Amino acid sequence: MLTFKPYHALTVAVAFIAAACATTQAVKPTPAEAPVSVPEPAPVGNVFPLTMSVCPGMTVANRPATDADLMITAFSPFVQVNGKVTLATAPVQAACFSSGFGARSFGNHKGIDFYSPDAVDIYAAAAGVVREKTYRDDFGNMLVIDHGDGVFTRYAHLKDFTTGLAQGAMVKPGDVIGHMGHTSKYNVANHLHFEVLTGEWGSQAGSFALTPVDPMKLPAASAKAKS
Ligand SMILES: [Zn+2]
């Protein structure tokens, strides 16, 4: 039995700070004529996990280094691609890291995997335009986002796509694009397969003409994903 708990300590801390700010706003004196309303607290942090753990009890290929609590020690929540595009490394609501990038027993893994037993939200890793939205036997429900500057991201095995999200739609970082699933033709665990791709869109091969890069090896970005 898996004992995975989808908690991210820092995200919880950020939520706590946001709640504390809302309380401070609520006790500010309000002019008598003004409508009495508490403004929505400004977004603090972002929706992306700021920490990441390796899935307990799983054999994780190309496993990153972790501490004793399975937290990935060199995890960067945001990375920079081509020196221009900032992406979230884990575009998922709550999940653990279940497979790394690179050679593994059954072929070359061109992305990284995140596991959850639940149909958690999957987010656009950065601003962009939906370039491809399709079903494939190998990737199930698959979405590719074009972030400009020759940078793309692929999201595979989605349970579903967000209603109304069509090819050509613009997305902001953190927009829910669908939910985690296991929709490939083959029997796979519920997970997100996430790829970061660079290069030029192929006239015939589309996203498969692009070069996959390991998101865990990209330089850390200090800023949050561009909006
Ligand atoms: Zn994968």
Side-chain angles (χ1 to χ4, degrees):
M1 192 65 190
L2 212 58
T3 56
F4 166 61
K5 290 177 191 162
Y7 288 133
H8 298 283
L10 283 172
T11 310
V12 172
V14 164
F16 178 76
I17 292 163
C21 291
T23 307
T24 309
Q25 285 165 341
V27 298
K28 267 187 187 168
T30 306
E33 295 81 14
V36 179
S37 66
V38 179
E40 287 289 311
V44 177
N46 49 69
V47 296
F48 302 108
L50 302 178
T51 60
M52 183 54 59
S53 62
V54 163
C55 296
M58 280 192 192
T59 303
V60 175
N62 301 306
R63 192 182 193 279
T66 66
D67 66 14
D69 295 324
L70 298 182
M71 301 303 289
I72 298 173
T73 45
F75 180 74
S76 305
F78 299 98
V79 289
Q80 203 162 63
V81 196
N82 286 356
K84 287 178 180 167
V85 175
T86 295
L87 296 173
T89 313
V92 54
Q93 182 184 9
C96 54
F97 188 91
S98 57
S99 189
F101 182 97
R104 56 184 188 183
S105 56
F106 46 97
N108 193 33
H109 192 217
K110 296 174 177 176
I112 55 177
D113 291 350
F114 297 98
Y115 164 83
S116 168
D118 305 316
V120 291
D121 289 348
I122 304 299
Y123 306 121
V129 174
V130 174
R131 193 67 189 264
E132 200 171 7
K133 179 194 166 194
T134 190
Y135 177 87
R136 291 172 51 101
D137 285 352
D138 52 356
F139 279 146
N141 288 324
M142 181 193 91
L143 196 82
V144 177
I145 299 175
D146 183 347
H147 303 288
D149 294 309
V151 177
F152 303 79
T153 48
R154 184 196 313 282
Y155 311 78
H157 306 298
L158 300 179
K159 180 187 180 196
D160 52 27
F161 300 110
T162 292
T163 307
L165 188 70
Q167 201 165 307
M170 293 187 70
V171 291
K172 299 189 300 298
D175 280 357
V176 176
I177 56 169
H179 297 93
M180 187 182 285
H182 50 98
T183 48
S184 72
K185 191 180 172 189
Y186 319 107
N187 187 21
V188 292
N190 196 60
H191 75 289
L192 170 70
H193 170 87
F194 175 56
E195 291 181 12
V196 176
L197 302 154
T198 63
E200 276 189 44
W201 194 264
S203 57
Q204 298 296 319
S207 60
F208 294 95
L210 301 166
T211 304
V213 294
D214 183 355
M216 303 291 282
K217 297 272 169 66
L218 289 165
S222 53
K224 60 185 284 190
K226 75 176 182 183
S227 50

